[in-house]
Amino acid sequence: MKILKKIACLSVLAASLCLTVTARADEPTFSLSKEGQTIVFKGGIDKVSSEALIAAINEGPNRIVITSQGGSMEDALNIAEVMQKHKIVLEVKDYCISACANFLFIAASEKKLLPDAVLGFHGGSTSSSAKKDTIRKAKASKNETVRQVAQMLERTWTFYESVGFDDELIVISGKLTRSVPTVYRVELKDGSEQKVFTEEKRFQAFMKAHIKQIKSFSFGPDSPLIYFPNLHMLTKYGVTGITDYPYPADQQAMDVLAKRLNDQDNFDIKLIGDYVRQ
């Protein structure tokens, strides 16, 4: 039961970032090219694409033009740490969503949105500041999966502290975008079909019964809602280095922008902007 209690606490924390805890083995869909001192990257963030992007950064370019729907938490953090070290400038061409927003945009020494680009956060329910003790205790667990999740989350918040980012912004994102229940996914070591649960109690029971057979697990709401914060909200929560941030004039303009992205890349998203809250 102690393991289940730790998993329950960590599941809330992992879900608060709405990202996969461990890298998936899927082949990535991405493109990467270099133009002088600029890297142009488009696609999802996973082990292969992140390694390619990190290798390109280490070759010397200091600017990235990105279009990304996000992906793995761990791989995005790997990129972000290298970006921070090399003081990378980031330009968002069409969109930077989920892990891209949570890590890459925040990590860049300078960042900007190009015209009609979107910065999108989604999910999030629990601020890190109240959960550090839970993570420290979970790191001492005898269960490898619990330890890995705890270490990943501690590393995430160490990174946030190093750049001065207050992840309360992600909590706000969760309140705005969590229109559907959290979905729990479990991958077993034997390679059998991924298990998917929409009820936390059933997820907990499965984890208890199969804890030694678990390869990885992830949490997040399958919601079409994406939070596109305005410049005031970003600076309020510690995002620095923003040099240009074109923002839709009203929700109607935001809806037009969402439709363009949906038509362009076969998305199904709805953008929520800041037009009342300050």
Side-chain angles (χ1 to χ4, degrees), residues 70-241:
S72 160
M73 172 182 176
E74 181 176 8
D75 296 317
L77 181 53
N78 290 340
I79 298 169
E81 290 172 340
V82 175
M83 288 177 61
Q84 183 185 20
K85 176 182 177 181
H86 289 275
K87 301 186 185 305
I88 297 296
V89 174
L90 186 73
E91 296 184 6
V92 179
K93 183 178 180 182
D94 290 317
Y95 47 85
C96 177
I97 297 172
S98 191
C100 181
N102 286 12
F103 294 103
L104 276 60
F105 190 83
I106 290 170
S109 61
E110 292 184 13
K111 64 269 282 180
K112 66 186 292 186
L113 299 189
L114 298 177
D116 294 327
V118 168
L119 180 70
F121 296 85
H122 67 107
S125 61
T126 305
S127 178
S128 63
S129 59
K131 297 295 180 179
K132 290 182 179 179
D133 187 56
T134 298
I135 294 173
R136 281 194 293 269
K137 291 178 180 178
K139 283 176 61 182
S141 170
K142 294 181 179 180
N143 181 268
E144 181 180 359
T145 301
V146 172
R147 289 199 309 272
Q148 288 178 346
V149 176
Q151 290 166 358
M152 188 68 245
L153 293 173
E154 182 179 61
R155 184 178 158 209
T156 295
W157 292 316
T158 297
F159 165 72
Y160 283 159
E161 289 179 352
S162 74
V163 296
F165 176 63
D166 182 353
D167 67 346
E168 184 66 23
L169 181 67
I170 298 177
V171 177
I172 292 171
S173 164
K175 293 176 181 177
L176 294 172
T177 63
R178 187 157 294 178
S179 63
V180 294
T182 296
V183 176
Y184 303 84
R185 295 179 175 84
V186 181
E187 183 179 359
L188 298 177
K189 293 177 181 178
D190 63 9
S192 57
E193 185 177 354
Q194 186 182 67
K195 305 296 181 182
V196 180
F197 303 91
T198 56
E199 297 179 11
E200 185 174 358
K201 288 183 178 180
R202 294 186 63 188
F203 162 73
Q204 295 279 346
F206 183 85
M207 292 290 285
K208 180 179 180 181
H210 301 87
I211 190 65
K212 293 183 179 180
Q213 287 77 49
I214 303 300
K215 178 180 180 181
S216 66
F217 55 95
S218 61
F219 316 84
D222 284 344
S223 171
L225 301 178
I226 303 292
Y227 173 44
F228 184 1
N230 64 13
L231 182 59
H232 169 80
M233 290 295 286
L234 289 174
T235 55
K236 178 179 179 180
Y237 290 97
V239 182
T240 60

Side-chain angles (χ1 to χ4, degrees), residues 17-51:
L17 291 171
C18 192
L19 298 165
T20 306
V21 173
T22 55
R24 298 187 302 271
D26 320 42
E27 287 298 317
T29 301
F30 75 98
S31 63
L32 187 155
S33 62
K34 289 189 289 184
E35 302 172 2
Q37 290 298 302
T38 298
I39 300 167
V40 179
F41 178 93
K42 180 174 182 178
I45 299 171
D46 60 14
K47 182 174 177 59
V48 178
S49 63
S50 65
E51 288 179 350

